[in-house]
Structure formats: C-alpha cells, structure tokens
Coordinates of all heavy atoms in Angstrom, one line a residue:
M1 N 0.8 -1.2 0.0 CA 0.0 0.0 0.0 C 0.9 1.2 0.0 O 1.9 1.3 0.7 CB -0.9 0.0 1.2 CG -1.8 1.2 1.3 SD -3.1 0.9 2.6 CE -2.7 2.3 3.6
S2 N 0.5 2.2 -0.8 CA 1.3 3.4 -1.0 C 0.9 4.5 0.0 O -0.3 4.8 0.1 CB 1.2 3.9 -2.4 OG 1.9 5.1 -2.6
E3 N 1.8 5.1 0.7 CA 1.5 6.3 1.5 C 1.3 7.5 0.7 O 1.9 7.7 -0.4 CB 2.6 6.6 2.5 CG 2.7 5.6 3.7 CD 3.8 6.1 4.7 OE1 3.6 7.2 5.2 OE2 4.7 5.4 4.9
Q4 N 0.5 8.4 1.2 CA 0.3 9.7 0.5 C 1.6 10.5 0.7 O 2.2 10.6 1.8 CB -0.8 10.5 1.1 CG -1.0 11.9 0.4 CD -2.1 12.7 0.9 OE1 -2.8 12.3 1.8 NE2 -2.3 13.9 0.4
V5 N 2.1 11.1 -0.3 CA 3.2 12.0 -0.3 C 2.7 13.4 -0.2 O 1.9 13.9 -1.1 CB 4.1 11.9 -1.5 CG1 5.3 12.9 -1.5 CG2 4.7 10.4 -1.5
H6 N 3.0 14.1 0.9 CA 2.5 15.5 1.1 C 3.5 16.5 0.4 O 4.6 16.1 0.2 CB 2.5 15.9 2.6 CG 1.6 14.9 3.3 ND1 0.2 15.2 3.5 CD2 1.8 13.8 4.0 CE1 -0.3 14.2 4.2 NE2 0.6 13.3 4.5
N7 N 3.0 17.6 -0.1 CA 3.8 18.5 -0.8 C 3.4 19.9 -0.6 O 2.3 20.2 -0.2 CB 3.8 18.1 -2.3 CG 2.5 18.5 -3.0 OD1 2.3 19.6 -3.4 ND2 1.6 17.5 -3.1
R8 N 4.4 20.8 -1.0 CA 4.2 22.2 -1.0 C 4.3 22.8 -2.4 O 4.6 24.0 -2.5 CB 5.2 22.9 0.0 CG 4.9 22.7 1.4 CD 5.8 23.6 2.2 NE 5.4 23.6 3.6 CZ 6.2 23.7 4.6 NH1 7.5 23.8 4.4 NH2 5.7 23.7 5.8
L9 N 4.0 22.0 -3.3 CA 4.2 22.4 -4.7 C 3.4 23.6 -5.1 O 4.0 24.5 -5.7 CB 3.9 21.2 -5.6 CG 4.4 21.3 -7.1 CD1 5.8 21.7 -7.2 CD2 4.1 19.9 -7.7
A10 N 2.2 23.7 -4.8 CA 1.3 24.8 -5.2 C 1.8 26.1 -4.5 O 1.9 27.2 -5.2 CB -0.1 24.6 -4.8
V11 N 2.3 26.0 -3.3 CA 2.8 27.2 -2.6 C 4.1 27.7 -3.3 O 4.2 28.9 -3.5 CB 3.1 26.9 -1.1 CG1 3.8 28.0 -0.4 CG2 1.8 26.5 -0.4
I12 N 5.0 26.8 -3.6 CA 6.2 27.2 -4.2 C 6.0 27.7 -5.6 O 6.6 28.7 -6.0 CB 7.2 26.0 -4.2 CG1 7.6 25.5 -2.8 CG2 8.5 26.4 -5.0 CD1 8.2 26.5 -1.9
R13 N 5.1 27.1 -6.3 CA 4.8 27.6 -7.7 C 4.2 29.0 -7.6 O 4.6 29.8 -8.4 CB 3.7 26.6 -8.4 CG 4.2 25.6 -9.2 CD 3.1 24.9 -10.1 NE 1.8 24.9 -9.6 CZ 0.8 25.8 -9.8 NH1 1.1 26.9 -10.6 NH2 -0.4 25.7 -9.3
A14 N 3.3 29.2 -6.7 CA 2.7 30.5 -6.6 C 3.7 31.6 -6.2 O 3.7 32.7 -6.8 CB 1.5 30.5 -5.6
E15 N 4.5 31.2 -5.3 CA 5.6 32.1 -4.8 C 6.5 32.5 -5.9 O 7.0 33.6 -6.0 CB 6.4 31.4 -3.7 CG 7.4 32.2 -3.0 CD 8.1 31.3 -1.9 OE1 9.0 30.6 -2.2 OE2 7.6 31.4 -0.8
R16 N 6.8 31.6 -6.8 CA 7.7 31.8 -7.9 C 7.0 32.2 -9.2 O 7.7 32.4 -10.3 CB 8.6 30.6 -8.2 CG 9.2 30.0 -6.9 CD 10.7 30.4 -6.8 NE 11.2 29.9 -5.6 CZ 12.2 29.0 -5.5 NH1 12.8 28.6 -6.6 NH2 12.7 28.7 -4.4
S17 N 5.7 32.4 -9.2 CA 4.9 32.7 -10.4 C 5.1 31.8 -11.5 O 5.3 32.2 -12.7 CB 5.2 34.2 -10.8 OG 4.9 35.1 -9.8
V18 N 5.0 30.5 -11.2 CA 5.2 29.5 -12.3 C 3.9 28.8 -12.4 O 3.3 28.3 -11.4 CB 6.3 28.4 -11.8 CG1 6.4 27.3 -12.8 CG2 7.6 29.1 -11.7
S19 N 3.4 28.7 -13.6 CA 2.1 28.0 -13.9 C 2.3 26.5 -13.9 O 3.5 26.0 -14.0 CB 1.5 28.4 -15.2 OG 2.3 27.9 -16.3
R20 N 1.2 25.7 -13.8 CA 1.3 24.3 -13.9 C 1.9 23.9 -15.2 O 2.7 23.0 -15.3 CB 0.0 23.6 -13.7 CG -0.5 23.6 -12.2 CD -1.9 23.0 -12.1 NE -2.3 23.0 -10.7 CZ -3.5 22.9 -10.3 NH1 -4.5 22.7 -11.2 NH2 -3.8 22.9 -9.0
K21 N 1.4 24.5 -16.2 CA 1.9 24.2 -17.6 C 3.4 24.5 -17.7 O 4.1 23.7 -18.3 CB 1.1 25.0 -18.6 CG 1.4 24.7 -20.0 CD 0.5 25.4 -21.0 CE 0.8 24.9 -22.4 NZ 0.0 25.5 -23.4
Q22 N 3.9 25.6 -17.2 CA 5.3 25.9 -17.3 C 6.1 24.9 -16.6 O 7.2 24.4 -17.1 CB 5.6 27.3 -16.7 CG 5.1 28.5 -17.5 CD 5.2 29.8 -16.7 OE1 4.9 29.8 -15.6 NE2 5.7 30.8 -17.4
L23 N 5.7 24.5 -15.4 CA 6.4 23.5 -14.6 C 6.4 22.2 -15.3 O 7.4 21.5 -15.5 CB 5.9 23.4 -13.2 CG 6.5 22.3 -12.3 CD1 8.0 22.5 -12.1 CD2 5.8 22.2 -11.0
A24 N 5.2 21.8 -15.8 CA 5.1 20.5 -16.5 C 6.0 20.4 -17.7 O 6.7 19.4 -17.9 CB 3.6 20.3 -16.9
E25 N 6.1 21.5 -18.5 CA 6.9 21.5 -19.7 C 8.4 21.4 -19.3 O 9.2 20.7 -19.9 CB 6.7 22.7 -20.5 CG 5.4 22.7 -21.2 CD 5.0 24.0 -21.9 OE1 5.8 25.0 -21.8 OE2 3.9 24.0 -22.6
A26 N 8.8 22.1 -18.2 CA 10.2 22.1 -17.8 C 10.6 20.7 -17.2 O 11.8 20.4 -17.3 CB 10.4 23.1 -16.7
V27 N 9.7 20.0 -16.6 CA 10.1 18.7 -16.0 C 9.7 17.5 -16.8 O 9.9 16.3 -16.4 CB 9.6 18.6 -14.6 CG1 10.2 19.7 -13.7 CG2 8.1 18.5 -14.5
G28 N 9.0 17.7 -18.0 CA 8.6 16.6 -18.9 C 7.4 15.8 -18.4 O 7.4 14.6 -18.5
A29 N 6.5 16.6 -17.8 CA 5.2 15.9 -17.3 C 4.0 16.6 -18.0 O 4.2 17.7 -18.6 CB 5.1 16.0 -15.8
H30 N 2.8 16.1 -17.8 CA 1.6 16.7 -18.2 C 1.2 17.7 -17.1 O 1.3 17.4 -16.0 CB 0.6 15.7 -18.5 CG -0.6 16.2 -19.3 ND1 -1.7 16.8 -18.6 CD2 -0.9 16.1 -20.6 CE1 -2.6 17.1 -19.6 NE2 -2.1 16.7 -20.7
Y31 N 0.6 18.8 -17.5 CA 0.2 19.8 -16.6 C -0.9 19.3 -15.6 O -1.0 19.7 -14.4 CB -0.3 21.1 -17.2 CG -1.7 21.0 -17.9 CD1 -2.8 21.4 -17.1 CD2 -1.9 20.6 -19.2 CE1 -4.1 21.3 -17.7 CE2 -3.1 20.5 -19.7 CZ -4.2 20.8 -19.0 OH -5.5 20.7 -19.5
Q32 N -1.7 18.3 -16.1 CA -2.7 17.7 -15.2 C -2.0 16.8 -14.1 O -2.5 16.7 -13.0 CB -3.7 16.9 -16.0 CG -4.7 17.8 -16.8 CD -5.7 16.9 -17.6 OE1 -5.4 15.8 -17.9 NE2 -6.8 17.6 -17.8
T33 N -0.9 16.3 -14.4 CA -0.1 15.5 -13.5 C 0.3 16.4 -12.3 O 0.2 16.0 -11.1 CB 1.1 14.8 -14.1 OG1 0.6 13.9 -15.2 CG2 1.9 14.0 -13.1
I34 N 0.8 17.6 -12.7 CA 1.2 18.5 -11.6 C 0.0 18.9 -10.7 O 0.1 18.9 -9.5 CB 1.8 19.8 -12.3 CG1 3.0 19.5 -13.2 CG2 2.1 20.9 -11.2 CD1 4.1 18.8 -12.5
G35 N -1.2 19.1 -11.3 CA -2.4 19.3 -10.5 C -2.7 18.2 -9.6 O -3.1 18.4 -8.4
H36 N -2.6 17.0 -10.1 CA -2.9 15.8 -9.3 C -1.9 15.6 -8.1 O -2.3 15.3 -7.0 CB -2.9 14.5 -10.2 CG -4.0 14.4 -11.1 ND1 -5.4 14.4 -10.7 CD2 -4.1 14.3 -12.5 CE1 -6.2 14.3 -11.8 NE2 -5.4 14.2 -12.9
I37 N -0.7 15.9 -8.4 CA 0.3 15.9 -7.3 C 0.0 16.9 -6.3 O 0.0 16.6 -5.1 CB 1.7 16.1 -7.9 CG1 2.2 14.9 -8.8 CG2 2.7 16.3 -6.8 CD1 3.4 15.2 -9.6
E38 N -0.3 18.2 -6.7 CA -0.6 19.2 -5.7 C -1.8 18.9 -4.9 O -1.8 19.2 -3.7 CB -0.9 20.6 -6.5 CG 0.3 21.1 -7.1 CD 0.1 22.4 -7.9 OE1 -1.1 22.8 -8.1 OE2 1.0 23.1 -8.3
R39 N -2.8 18.2 -5.4 CA -4.0 17.9 -4.6 C -3.9 16.6 -3.9 O -4.8 16.2 -3.2 CB -5.2 17.8 -5.6 CG -5.6 19.1 -6.2 CD -6.9 19.0 -7.0 NE -6.8 18.1 -8.1 CZ -6.4 18.4 -9.3 NH1 -5.9 19.7 -9.5 NH2 -6.4 17.5 -10.3
G40 N -2.7 15.9 -4.0 CA -2.5 14.7 -3.2 C -3.2 13.5 -3.9 O -3.4 12.5 -3.2
Q41 N -3.6 13.6 -5.1 CA -4.3 12.5 -5.8 C -3.3 11.6 -6.5 O -3.7 10.6 -7.0 CB -5.3 13.1 -6.8 CG -6.4 13.9 -6.2 CD -7.2 14.7 -7.2 OE1 -6.7 15.1 -8.3 NE2 -8.5 14.9 -6.9
Y42 N -2.0 12.0 -6.6 CA -1.0 11.2 -7.3 C 0.3 11.5 -6.6 O 0.7 12.6 -6.3 CB -1.0 11.6 -8.7 CG 0.1 11.0 -9.5 CD1 0.0 9.7 -10.0 CD2 1.3 11.7 -9.9 CE1 1.0 9.1 -10.7 CE2 2.3 11.1 -10.6 CZ 2.2 9.8 -11.0 OH 3.2 9.2 -11.7
N43 N 1.0 10.4 -6.3 CA 2.4 10.5 -5.8 C 3.4 10.5 -6.9 O 3.4 9.6 -7.8 CB 2.7 9.3 -4.8 CG 1.9 9.4 -3.5 OD1 1.4 10.4 -3.1 ND2 1.8 8.2 -2.9
P44 N 4.3 11.5 -6.9 CA 5.2 11.6 -8.0 C 6.2 10.4 -7.9 O 6.5 10.0 -6.8 CB 5.9 12.9 -7.9 CG 5.8 13.2 -6.4 CD 4.5 12.6 -6.0
S45 N 6.8 10.0 -9.0 CA 7.9 9.0 -9.0 C 9.1 9.8 -8.4 O 9.1 11.0 -8.3 CB 8.2 8.6 -10.4 OG 8.7 9.7 -11.1
L46 N 10.1 9.0 -7.9 CA 11.3 9.6 -7.4 C 11.9 10.5 -8.4 O 12.3 11.6 -8.1 CB 12.2 8.6 -6.9 CG 13.6 9.1 -6.3 CD1 13.4 10.0 -5.2 CD2 14.5 7.9 -5.9
D47 N 12.0 10.0 -9.6 CA 12.6 10.8 -10.7 C 11.9 12.1 -10.9 O 12.5 13.1 -11.0 CB 12.5 9.9 -12.0 CG 13.0 10.6 -13.2 OD1 14.2 10.9 -13.2 OD2 12.2 10.9 -14.1
L48 N 10.5 12.1 -11.0 CA 9.8 13.3 -11.2 C 9.9 14.3 -10.0 O 10.1 15.5 -10.2 CB 8.3 13.0 -11.4 CG 7.4 14.3 -11.7 CD1 7.9 15.1 -12.8 CD2 6.0 13.8 -12.0
A49 N 9.9 13.8 -8.8 CA 10.1 14.6 -7.6 C 11.5 15.3 -7.6 O 11.6 16.5 -7.3 CB 10.0 13.8 -6.3
L50 N 12.5 14.5 -8.0 CA 13.8 15.1 -8.1 C 13.9 16.2 -9.2 O 14.6 17.2 -9.0 CB 14.9 14.0 -8.3 CG 15.1 13.1 -7.1 CD1 15.9 11.9 -7.5 CD2 15.7 13.8 -6.0
R51 N 13.3 15.9 -10.4 CA 13.3 16.9 -11.4 C 12.6 18.2 -11.0 O 13.0 19.3 -11.3 CB 12.6 16.3 -12.7 CG 13.6 15.4 -13.4 CD 13.0 14.9 -14.8 NE 12.1 13.8 -14.5 CZ 11.0 13.6 -15.1 NH1 10.6 14.4 -16.1 NH2 10.2 12.6 -14.8
I52 N 11.5 18.0 -10.3 CA 10.7 19.2 -9.8 C 11.6 20.0 -8.8 O 11.7 21.2 -8.9 CB 9.4 18.8 -9.1 CG1 8.4 18.3 -10.2 CG2 8.8 20.0 -8.4 CD1 7.2 17.7 -9.7
A53 N 12.2 19.3 -7.9 CA 13.1 20.0 -6.9 C 14.3 20.7 -7.6 O 14.6 21.8 -7.2 CB 13.7 18.9 -5.9
E54 N 14.8 20.0 -8.6 CA 15.9 20.6 -9.4 C 15.5 21.9 -10.1 O 16.2 22.9 -10.1 CB 16.5 19.6 -10.4 CG 17.7 20.1 -11.1 CD 18.3 19.0 -12.0 OE1 17.6 18.7 -13.0 OE2 19.4 18.5 -11.7
Y55 N 14.3 21.8 -10.7 CA 13.7 23.0 -11.4 C 13.7 24.2 -10.4 O 14.0 25.3 -10.8 CB 12.3 22.7 -11.9 CG 11.7 23.9 -12.5 CD1 12.0 24.3 -13.8 CD2 10.7 24.6 -11.8 CE1 11.3 25.4 -14.4 CE2 10.1 25.7 -12.4 CZ 10.4 26.1 -13.7 OH 9.8 27.2 -14.2
F56 N 13.2 24.0 -9.2 CA 13.1 25.1 -8.2 C 14.4 25.4 -7.5 O 14.4 26.3 -6.6 CB 11.9 24.8 -7.3 CG 10.6 25.0 -7.9 CD1 9.7 23.9 -8.0 CD2 10.1 26.2 -8.3 CE1 8.5 24.0 -8.6 CE2 8.8 26.3 -8.9 CZ 8.0 25.2 -9.0
E57 N 15.4 24.5 -7.7 CA 16.7 24.7 -7.0 C 16.5 24.6 -5.5 O 17.0 25.4 -4.7 CB 17.4 25.9 -7.4 CG 17.7 26.0 -8.9 CD 18.5 27.2 -9.3 OE1 18.5 28.2 -8.6 OE2 19.0 27.2 -10.5
L58 N 15.7 23.6 -5.1 CA 15.4 23.3 -3.7 C 15.7 21.9 -3.4 O 15.5 21.0 -4.2 CB 13.9 23.6 -3.4 CG 13.5 25.1 -3.5 CD1 11.9 25.2 -3.4 CD2 14.1 25.9 -2.4
P59 N 16.0 21.6 -2.1 CA 16.1 20.2 -1.7 C 14.7 19.5 -1.8 O 13.7 20.1 -1.6 CB 16.6 20.2 -0.3 CG 17.1 21.6 0.0 CD 16.4 22.5 -1.0
V60 N 14.7 18.3 -2.3 CA 13.4 17.6 -2.5 C 12.6 17.5 -1.2 O 11.4 17.6 -1.3 CB 13.7 16.1 -3.0 CG1 14.3 15.2 -2.0 CG2 12.4 15.6 -3.6
E61 N 13.2 17.5 0.0 CA 12.5 17.4 1.2 C 11.8 18.8 1.6 O 10.9 18.8 2.4 CB 13.3 17.0 2.4 CG 14.5 17.8 2.7 CD 15.8 17.5 2.0 OE1 15.7 16.8 1.0 OE2 16.8 18.0 2.4
V62 N 12.1 19.8 0.9 CA 11.4 21.1 1.1 C 10.1 21.0 0.4 O 9.1 21.6 0.8 CB 12.3 22.3 0.5 CG1 11.5 23.6 0.5 CG2 13.5 22.5 1.4
L63 N 10.0 20.3 -0.7 CA 8.8 20.1 -1.5 C 7.9 19.0 -1.1 O 6.7 19.0 -1.2 CB 9.2 20.0 -3.0 CG 9.8 21.3 -3.6 CD1 10.4 20.9 -5.0 CD2 8.7 22.3 -3.8
F64 N 8.5 17.8 -0.8 CA 7.8 16.6 -0.6 C 8.2 16.0 0.8 O 9.3 16.0 1.2 CB 8.1 15.6 -1.7 CG 7.8 16.1 -3.0 CD1 8.8 16.6 -3.9 CD2 6.5 16.0 -3.5 CE1 8.4 17.1 -5.1 CE2 6.2 16.5 -4.8 CZ 7.1 17.0 -5.6
A65 N 7.2 15.3 1.4 CA 7.4 14.6 2.7 C 6.3 13.6 2.9 O 5.2 13.6 2.3 CB 7.3 15.6 3.9
L66 N 6.7 12.6 3.7 CA 5.7 11.5 4.1 C 4.7 11.9 5.2 O 3.7 11.4 5.3 CB 6.4 10.2 4.5 CG 7.3 9.6 3.4 CD1 8.0 8.4 3.9 CD2 6.4 9.2 2.2
R67 N 5.1 12.9 5.9 CA 4.2 13.5 7.0 C 3.7 14.9 6.6 O 4.5 15.6 5.9 CB 5.0 13.6 8.3 CG 5.4 12.3 8.9 CD 6.0 12.4 10.2 NE 6.5 11.1 10.7 CZ 7.7 10.9 11.2 NH1 8.5 11.9 11.3 NH2 8.0 9.7 11.5
P68 N 2.6 15.3 7.0 CA 2.1 16.6 6.7 C 3.1 17.7 7.1 O 3.7 17.5 8.2 CB 0.8 16.7 7.4 CG 0.3 15.3 7.7 CD 1.6 14.5 7.8
F69 N 3.2 18.7 6.3 CA 4.0 19.8 6.7 C 3.4 20.7 7.8 O 2.1 20.8 7.8 CB 4.3 20.7 5.5 CG 5.2 20.2 4.5 CD1 4.7 19.6 3.3 CD2 6.6 20.2 4.6 CE1 5.5 19.0 2.4 CE2 7.4 19.7 3.7 CZ 6.9 19.1 2.5
R70 N 4.2 21.3 8.7 CA 3.6 22.2 9.6 C 3.2 23.5 8.8 O 3.8 23.7 7.7 CB 4.7 22.7 10.6 CG 5.1 21.6 11.6 CD 6.1 22.0 12.6 NE 6.5 23.4 12.5 CZ 7.5 23.9 13.2 NH1 8.2 23.2 14.0 NH2 7.8 25.2 13.0
P71 N 2.2 24.2 9.2 CA 1.9 25.5 8.5 C 3.1 26.4 8.4 O 3.9 26.5 9.3 CB 0.8 26.1 9.4 CG 0.2 25.0 10.2 CD 1.4 24.0 10.4
L72 N 3.2 27.0 7.3 CA 4.4 27.9 7.0 C 4.4 29.0 8.1 O 5.5 29.4 8.5 CB 4.3 28.6 5.7 CG 4.7 27.6 4.5 CD1 4.4 28.3 3.2 CD2 6.1 27.2 4.6
S73 N 3.3 29.5 8.6 CA 3.3 30.5 9.6 C 3.9 30.0 10.9 O 4.6 30.8 11.6 CB 1.9 31.0 9.9 OG 1.1 30.0 10.3
D74 N 3.7 28.7 11.2 CA 4.4 28.2 12.4 C 5.9 28.1 12.2 O 6.7 28.4 13.1 CB 3.9 26.7 12.7 CG 2.5 26.7 13.3 OD1 1.9 27.7 13.5 OD2 2.1 25.5 13.5
E75 N 6.4 27.8 11.0 CA 7.8 27.7 10.8 C 8.4 29.1 10.8 O 9.6 29.3 11.2 CB 8.1 27.0 9.5 CG 7.7 25.6 9.5 CD 8.1 24.8 8.3 OE1 9.0 25.2 7.6 OE2 7.6 23.7 8.1
L76 N 7.7 30.1 10.3 CA 8.2 31.5 10.3 C 8.1 32.2 11.7 O 9.0 32.9 12.1 CB 7.5 32.3 9.3 CG 7.7 31.9 7.8 CD1 6.8 32.7 6.9 CD2 9.2 32.1 7.4
Y77 N 7.0 32.0 12.4 CA 6.7 32.8 13.6 C 6.6 31.9 14.8 O 6.3 32.4 15.9 CB 5.4 33.6 13.4 CG 5.4 34.4 12.1 CD1 4.6 34.1 11.1 CD2 6.3 35.5 12.0 CE1 4.6 34.8 9.9 CE2 6.3 36.2 10.8 CZ 5.4 35.9 9.8 OH 5.4 36.6 8.7
G78 N 6.7 30.6 14.7 CA 6.6 29.7 15.9 C 5.1 29.2 15.9 O 4.2 29.8 15.2
P79 N 4.9 28.1 16.6 CA 3.5 27.6 16.7 C 2.5 28.6 17.2 O 2.8 29.4 18.1 CB 3.7 26.4 17.7 CG 5.1 26.1 17.7 CD 5.9 27.3 17.4
A80 N 1.3 28.5 16.8 CA 0.2 29.4 17.1 C 0.0 29.4 18.6 O -0.2 30.5 19.2 CB -1.1 29.0 16.4
D81 N 0.1 28.3 19.3 CA -0.2 28.3 20.7 C 0.9 29.1 21.5 O 0.6 29.8 22.5 CB -0.3 26.9 21.3 CG 0.9 26.0 21.1 OD1 1.7 26.4 20.2 OD2 1.0 24.9 21.7
R82 N 2.1 29.1 21.0 CA 3.2 29.9 21.6 C 3.0 31.4 21.3 O 3.2 32.2 22.2 CB 4.6 29.5 21.1 CG 5.2 28.4 21.9 CD 6.7 28.2 21.6 NE 7.3 29.2 20.8 CZ 8.2 28.9 19.9 NH1 8.5 27.7 19.6 NH2 8.8 29.9 19.2
R83 N 2.5 31.7 20.1 CA 2.2 33.1 19.8 C 1.1 33.6 20.6 O 1.1 34.7 21.1 CB 1.9 33.2 18.3 CG 3.1 33.0 17.4 CD 2.8 33.5 15.9 NE 1.6 33.0 15.4 CZ 1.4 31.9 14.7 NH1 2.5 31.1 14.5 NH2 0.3 31.6 14.2
D84 N 0.0 32.8 20.8 CA -1.1 33.2 21.5 C -0.8 33.4 23.0 O -1.2 34.4 23.6 CB -2.2 32.1 21.5 CG -2.9 32.1 20.1 OD1 -2.7 33.0 19.3 OD2 -3.5 31.1 19.8
S85 N 0.1 32.6 23.6 CA 0.4 32.7 25.0 C 1.3 34.0 25.1 O 1.2 34.7 26.1 CB 1.1 31.5 25.6 OG 2.3 31.2 24.9
A86 N 2.2 34.2 24.2 CA 3.0 35.4 24.2 C 2.2 36.7 24.1 O 2.4 37.7 24.8 CB 4.1 35.4 23.1
D87 N 1.1 36.6 23.2 CA 0.2 37.8 23.1 C -0.5 38.0 24.4 O -0.7 39.2 24.8 CB -0.8 37.5 21.9 CG -0.1 37.6 20.6 OD1 1.0 38.1 20.5 OD2 -0.8 37.2 19.6
S88 N -1.0 37.0 25.0 CA -1.8 37.1 26.2 C -0.9 37.7 27.4 O -1.4 38.3 28.3 CB -2.5 35.8 26.6 OG -1.6 34.9 27.0
S89 N 0.3 37.3 27.4 CA 1.2 37.8 28.5 C 1.6 39.3 28.3 O 2.0 39.9 29.2 CB 2.4 36.9 28.6 OG 3.3 37.0 27.5
T90 N 1.5 39.8 27.1 CA 2.0 41.1 26.8 C 0.8 42.0 26.4 O 1.1 43.2 26.0 CB 3.0 41.1 25.7 OG1 2.5 40.6 24.5 CG2 4.3 40.4 26.1
G91 N -0.4 41.6 26.4 CA -1.5 42.4 26.0 C -2.3 41.6 25.0 O -2.0 40.5 24.6
S92 N -3.4 42.2 24.5 CA -4.2 41.5 23.5 C -3.5 41.4 22.2 O -2.7 42.2 21.9 CB -5.5 42.3 23.3 OG -5.3 43.4 22.5
S93 N -3.9 40.3 21.5 CA -3.3 40.1 20.2 C -3.6 41.3 19.2 O -2.8 41.6 18.4 CB -3.7 38.8 19.6 OG -5.1 38.7 19.5
A94 N -4.8 41.9 19.4 CA -5.1 43.0 18.5 C -4.2 44.2 18.8 O -3.7 44.9 17.9 CB -6.6 43.4 18.8
D95 N -3.9 44.4 20.1 CA -2.9 45.5 20.5 C -1.6 45.2 19.9 O -0.9 46.1 19.4 CB -2.8 45.6 22.0 CG -4.1 46.1 22.7 OD1 -4.9 46.7 22.0 OD2 -4.2 45.9 23.9
N96 N -1.1 44.0 20.0 CA 0.2 43.6 19.5 C 0.3 43.8 17.9 O 1.2 44.2 17.4 CB 0.6 42.2 19.8 CG 0.9 42.1 21.3 OD1 1.3 43.0 21.9 ND2 0.7 40.9 21.9
R97 N -0.8 43.4 17.3 CA -0.8 43.5 15.8 C -0.8 45.0 15.4 O -0.2 45.4 14.5 CB -2.0 42.8 15.2 CG -1.9 41.3 15.2 CD -2.9 40.6 14.4 NE -4.3 40.9 14.9 CZ -5.0 40.2 15.7 NH1 -4.5 39.1 16.2 NH2 -6.2 40.5 16.1
A98 N -1.5 45.8 16.2 CA -1.6 47.2 15.9 C -0.2 47.8 16.1 O 0.3 48.7 15.3 CB -2.6 47.9 16.8
D99 N 0.5 47.4 17.1 CA 1.9 47.8 17.4 C 2.8 47.5 16.2 O 3.7 48.2 15.9 CB 2.5 47.2 18.7 CG 1.8 47.8 19.9 OD1 1.1 48.8 19.8 OD2 1.9 47.1 21.0
R100 N 2.6 46.3 15.6 CA 3.4 45.9 14.5 C 2.9 46.4 13.1 O 3.5 46.2 12.1 CB 3.4 44.3 14.4 CG 4.1 43.7 15.6 CD 4.3 42.2 15.4 NE 3.1 41.5 15.0 CZ 2.4 40.7 15.8 NH1 2.8 40.5 17.0 NH2 1.3 40.1 15.4
G101 N 1.8 47.1 13.2 CA 1.2 47.7 11.9 C 0.5 46.6 11.1 O 0.4 46.8 9.9
T102 N 0.0 45.6 11.7 CA -0.7 44.5 11.0 C -2.1 44.4 11.5 O -2.4 44.9 12.5 CB 0.0 43.1 11.1 OG1 0.0 42.8 12.5 CG2 1.4 43.2 10.5
R103 N -2.9 43.6 10.8 CA -4.3 43.4 11.2 C -4.5 41.9 11.6 O -3.9 41.1 11.2 CB -5.3 43.8 10.1 CG -5.2 45.2 10.0 CD -6.3 45.7 9.0 NE -6.2 47.1 8.9 CZ -7.2 47.9 9.1 NH1 -8.3 47.5 9.4 NH2 -7.0 49.2 9.0

C-alpha cells in the first residue's frame, strides 16, 4: 500500500509565479499530473520529484514529505499556541498587531 506524499508544490509555484503548464513542460510531465500531485491525488515518482526539486533549485524534502508539513506561519513565527500565549502575556493580540502595523 502506498502512503500519501505531502507536498508544498502549489505554494512554491505561486511564490515563484510558475504555472502548472510551465512547470510540467520544464520537467517533462503533463500539466494535469502537476495538479494531481498538488491535490495529493497522485504521488510523483522519485525521478519526477527530483526533477521538480531541481527545477526550483530546492532540496526535495522542502517540496515533498511523508508526513504533513507544519503550517508555514508556524515555521516562520513559531507555533500558534506559543504566539497566543506570548500575546496574552503582553496584552491583547489586537494590540500587538496594531503595534506591528498589521491586522
């Protein structure tokens, strides 16, 4: 039985302004295959996963994993529960966001 391979392909594509069609042509796949991979409906072969990683000049483990990825906001700012407890110890989260100029 095959495990689902989790991926951040759609996030990286959007960040780099690369369409499914552009990526598919660059790695020798069909654009629908890229969509199926992004939605978790198809696990890429090792060869395809490595070609995609090479295209983006990223390690394959940045794009693909056997376990779900943590939310990017957790990786950038720490887990939400830590942020919430820090906000409550220093004032309301709305106050802190206003101090940082965010909403």
